[in-house]
Amino acid sequence: MPDRPRELMVDVRYPARSAAGDPAPYARPQEARALLEALGVSDPATVERLTATRTHSVPGARPQRGRHPLVLLSPGFGVPRYTLTTLAEDLASRGYVVATVDHAYEANGVAFPGGRVLTCVACTKAQTEEDFRAATEGRGRDLAFVLDRLTGPRPAWRYASVVDRRRIGAAGHSLGGAAAASVMRQDPRVRAGVNMDGSFGDPVPDGGLGGRPFLMLGTHEAHDGMHLPGGPDRTWDAAWHNLDGWKRWLTVTGSDHYTFSDGPVLFDQLDELPYPFPGEPGLPADHAVDLVRTYTAAFFDRHLRHRPQPLLDGPSDAYPEVHFQQPQ
């Protein structure tokens, strides 16, 4: 939409002094309706069930004192920011400020104050590899802009003073994971990144990312071996070769593309949602959520808080599904 100004909706979650108050909704009615319709579900009762869902976040809560590391989160292409709620809330509960970003016209149903709802124009317009490279680079610029608005001289968030500007990370699912690498290429303020099952639409440059750490977390066999070394998505092999700092390539048996979002919970609790892959999910929803939360938090705790994380050193009995890949 080049004729319109780019607008971003952002949810900011953070450790609060008190949990008193009414919990925030998971999605507004118009957002829930738009997402479900994009998935082929128009049943009003299902829309109502999703709209009635509440999170563990309390709007307007006062943040805990001190300075907290910041993590930027970017969702998958076509899906809204709230599909990363389980991860965002977990990171906030561990002491992070988390900014989850909706990218204009790249998600189904993004509600703005006053009732405006942006649709996923890019879902029909983006077709080629170059389109998705442009989208990835654009998301990188979006994340850098959000960082400006949270840490600049006139911040957009009233509690921005609690952000520790020296400890900033980025993570995302699918295209959002590629955006985490893109913003690191563009902006040296971002110190660590996680790509969850996304093709690197903006390739990691030959010179790397300045020695900054990066985690690649993706599917294992999952129907096509997409993110195994030598798999169909060769951008992962190229990224691994070019990454020049601490790095891990982890694949998860039984996972699918939506494992690294709120997808497992949505498919588990909304029977009307058609599961997009053959068969049934390989991981129980609660275990999938726990796994993604645990490994993402371990990564950021290690690299933004400098806390030892043995979980990232090798296979774990607690998570036997996780494989450590070591491509040559």
Side-chain angles (χ1 to χ4, degrees):
M1 305 294 285
D3 58 328
R4 301 186 186 181
R6 191 157 178 81
E7 300 175 277
L8 305 176
M9 281 297 294
V10 181
D11 287 330
V12 182
R13 291 181 172 85
Y14 47 91
R17 298 187 194 183
S18 169
D22 295 328
Y26 182 70
R28 297 179 177 89
Q30 58 269 51
E31 293 175 326
R33 188 177 303 110
L35 177 63
L36 291 173
E37 287 178 353
L39 296 174
V41 177
S42 57
D43 174 40
T46 304
V47 175
E48 184 176 345
R49 286 175 63 197
L50 186 57
T51 301
T53 301
R54 291 295 179 266
T55 68
H56 298 91
S57 304
V58 177
R62 297 177 63 191
Q64 291 181 2
R65 294 182 176 87
R67 293 293 183 93
H68 307 285
L70 168 67
V71 175
L72 305 166
L73 290 183
S74 178
F77 185 70
V79 295
R81 67 192 185 283
Y82 62 77
T83 57
L84 291 177
T85 295
T86 54
L87 177 58
E89 289 195 329
D90 182 70
L91 287 170
S93 76
R94 297 172 187 263
Y96 290 87
V97 174
V98 184
T100 312
V101 182
D102 256 327
H103 305 273
Y105 301 106
E106 293 180 20
N108 287 294
V110 178
F112 280 75
R116 289 186 302 122
V117 179
L118 301 190
T119 59
C120 188
V121 176
C123 287
T124 56
K125 285 192 173 183
Q127 301 291 333
T128 68
E129 184 176 320
E130 284 305 309
D131 290 337
F132 282 99
R133 177 163 187 162
T136 306
E137 292 174 343
R139 285 193 176 205
R141 290 192 294 272
D142 286 348
L143 296 178
F145 174 77
V146 171
L147 189 50
D148 290 341
R149 299 297 286 126
L150 289 177
T151 64
R154 299 181 62 185
W157 180 44
R158 63 181 298 190
Y159 297 124
S161 61
V162 303
V163 172
D164 186 340
R165 302 177 186 180
R166 301 165 300 174
R167 296 186 291 166
I168 297 169
H173 169 234
S174 195
L175 186 64
S182 185
V183 71
M184 289 182 70
R185 179 184 64 79
Q186 301 176 39
D187 195 324
R189 293 175 296 179
V190 182
R191 305 303 306 163
V194 182
N195 180 355
M196 295 182 287
D197 214 49
S199 295
F200 288 85
D202 180 12
V204 175
D206 291 342
L209 297 174
R212 287 168 290 170
F214 203 88
L215 172 64
M216 298 157 55
L217 179 63
T219 53
H220 192 68
E221 73 290 293
H223 316 297
D224 54 13
M226 180 65 72
H227 288 136
L228 287 173
D233 185 356
R234 301 312 296 270
T235 69
W236 276 47
D237 293 274
W240 178 262
H241 180 267
N242 289 341
L243 288 169
D244 60 335
W246 185 101
K247 58 185 179 181
R248 293 290 186 273
W249 182 338
L250 307 183
T251 56
V252 183
T253 298
S255 64
D256 59 57
H257 187 56
Y258 293 101
T259 294
F260 308 96
S261 69
D262 292 353
V265 178
L266 296 176
F267 292 122
D268 183 57
Q269 297 186 12
L270 297 176
D271 296 334
E272 299 81 1
L273 284 185
Y275 188 63
F277 300 103
E280 297 293 329
L283 294 177
D286 56 349
H287 187 63
V289 169
D290 174 56
L291 187 154
V292 172
R293 285 172 160 178
T294 300
Y295 277 87
T296 304
F299 173 79
F300 285 124
D301 278 353
R302 178 168 186 159
H303 297 292
L304 298 183
R305 288 172 155 167
H306 307 294
R307 297 176 178 175
Q309 298 294 326
L311 183 70
L312 299 176
D313 294 335
S316 166
D317 291 340
Y319 300 97
E321 309 86 354
V322 177
H323 303 266
F324 284 67
Q325 304 296 340
Q326 292 289 340
Q328 299 301 316

